Amino acid sequence: MEILKTKNLKKYYGSGENLVKALDGVNLSVEEGEFVSVVGTSGSGKSTLLHMLGGLDYATSGDVTVAGKEIFKLNETDLTIFRRRNIGFVFQNYNLVPILNVYENIILPMELDGERPDKDFVWEVMEILGLDKKKNNLPNQLSGGQQQRVAIARALASKPAIILADEPTGNLDSKTSQEVLGLLKLTGEQFGQTMVMITHNEAMAQLSDRVIRIEDGRIVGGQ
Ligand SMILES: Nc1ncnc2c1ncn2[C@@H]1O[C@H](COP(=O)(O)OP(=O)(O)OP(=O)(O)O)[C@@H](O)[C@H]1O
Ligand SMILES: [Mg+2]
């Protein structure tokens, strides 16, 4: 079953001389349970694509359909709720809340949604990610790699149908990267999750089911 789809998706920034066609007619279809990686040079439009797939911003034109729903037809409030229930994000810059400790950050999206966290599962994820001893630390008491792992744990904790990850292991050493990717794959298989992951690392890309190549806002391979 198709879970993610874009139709002639365009995202332009600026205007006139400053017009940037960050995405310029992207047609993409991702099957439920698929693990897709996205590669391309800096500025090619990878993060923009991920933002559009996750409904973090509205497109200039074209559609994104997630689990049968055309997300740009939702108003901002409904889109926020839809996102929280269906999508787990791992960003390049983590977006952790500075006044919440590790555990509180991880369960925050569920709390916001009035959902009860599966504590055993959250704990298991934290142990695998090596965060169990950092449970009570604030983000500014963690290393960059640890903060990245908190962001990954937060994305996994609610077992979302779709995980969108922007260089999820960009700041981790190669051994930890392998472990984290292994965990993402394992939970993906266990919960039938779909994953779209941006990476600059060819070896990591090769572990996915399909590699999509993007150049100047267009898909040039793996469609
Ligand atoms: N908010 C914005 N306003 C103006 N231009 C933007 C904005 N966001 C992105 N762009 C431009 O859109 C293009 C695509 O950016 P994007 O962040 O998607 O690239 P990327 O492939 O993720 O690059 P990187 O590998 O460096 O993260 C770039 O030319 C960038 O400068
Ligand atoms: Mg990017």
Side-chain angles (χ1 to χ4, degrees):
M1 200 192 88
E2 185 181 66
I3 192 157
L4 270 178
K5 183 181 168 187
T6 72
K7 205 168 92 198
N8 202 16
L9 183 65
K10 297 186 181 177
K11 179 66 175 178
Y12 294 176
Y13 293 109
S15 62
E17 268 180 27
N18 297 320
L19 182 73
V20 176
K21 296 181 174 181
L23 292 179
D24 198 18
V26 168
N27 292 296
L28 176 66
S29 170
V30 178
E31 291 290 306
E32 191 173 4
E34 215 183 345
F35 172 18
V36 173
S37 55
V38 179
V39 300
T41 54
S42 178
S44 57
K46 305 180 297 295
S47 295
T48 306
L49 176 63
L50 217 66
H51 286 162
M52 296 289 111
L53 291 178
L56 287 169
D57 193 7
Y58 290 90
T60 303
S61 65
D63 301 323
V64 172
T65 308
V66 180
K69 197 150 209 109
E70 275 193 44
I71 59 171
F72 296 138
K73 292 206 168 131
L74 298 171
N75 65 32
E76 272 185 48
T77 312
D78 290 343
L79 186 54
T80 302
I81 295 168
F82 182 81
R83 221 169 32 220
R84 212 153 55 207
R85 297 205 173 141
N86 293 281
I87 301 173
F89 290 96
V90 185
F91 293 107
Q92 261 168 329
N93 58 359
Y94 324 134
N95 288 336
L96 303 178
V97 180
I99 56 163
L100 298 181
N101 70 28
V102 165
Y103 182 76
E104 290 162 346
N105 262 287
I106 292 171
I107 63 165
L108 181 66
M110 286 179 278
E111 299 245 293
L112 288 173
D113 214 24
E115 219 186 298
R116 198 188 296 264
D118 176 345
K119 282 193 179 150
D120 290 341
F121 178 71
V122 173
W123 190 245
E124 194 185 324
V125 168
M126 287 175 68
E127 274 187 326
I128 296 172
L129 287 167
L131 293 169
D132 41 325
K133 291 192 181 68
K134 301 285 177 186
K135 186 175 184 285
N136 299 314
N137 282 48
L138 295 174
N140 68 4
Q141 299 166 329
L142 300 172
S143 71
Q146 287 165 342
Q147 291 179 41
Q148 189 153 36
R149 282 179 267 155
V150 176
I152 292 168
R154 181 183 54 190
L156 290 173
S158 63
K159 303 170 192 161
I162 300 166
I163 293 182
L164 301 177
D166 201 340
E167 303 251 15
T169 61
N171 288 320
L172 304 180
D173 58 74
S174 66
K175 181 170 171 280
T176 313
S177 294
Q178 293 291 337
E179 280 172 12
V180 166
L181 195 63
L183 174 78
L184 281 169
K185 281 194 79 163
L186 195 74
T187 55
E189 280 156 23
Q190 199 172 347
F191 300 111
Q193 287 164 320
T194 307
M195 182 157 62
V196 180
M197 175 187 76
I198 295 173
T199 181
H200 275 113
N201 184 327
E202 277 292 332
M204 303 259 297
Q206 292 313 321
L207 291 172
S208 65
D209 299 325
R210 176 157 60 118
V211 182
I212 288 171
R213 287 179 197 280
I214 180 162
E215 257 175 42
D216 295 330
R218 292 168 179 268
I219 292 181
V220 294
Q223 209 159 4

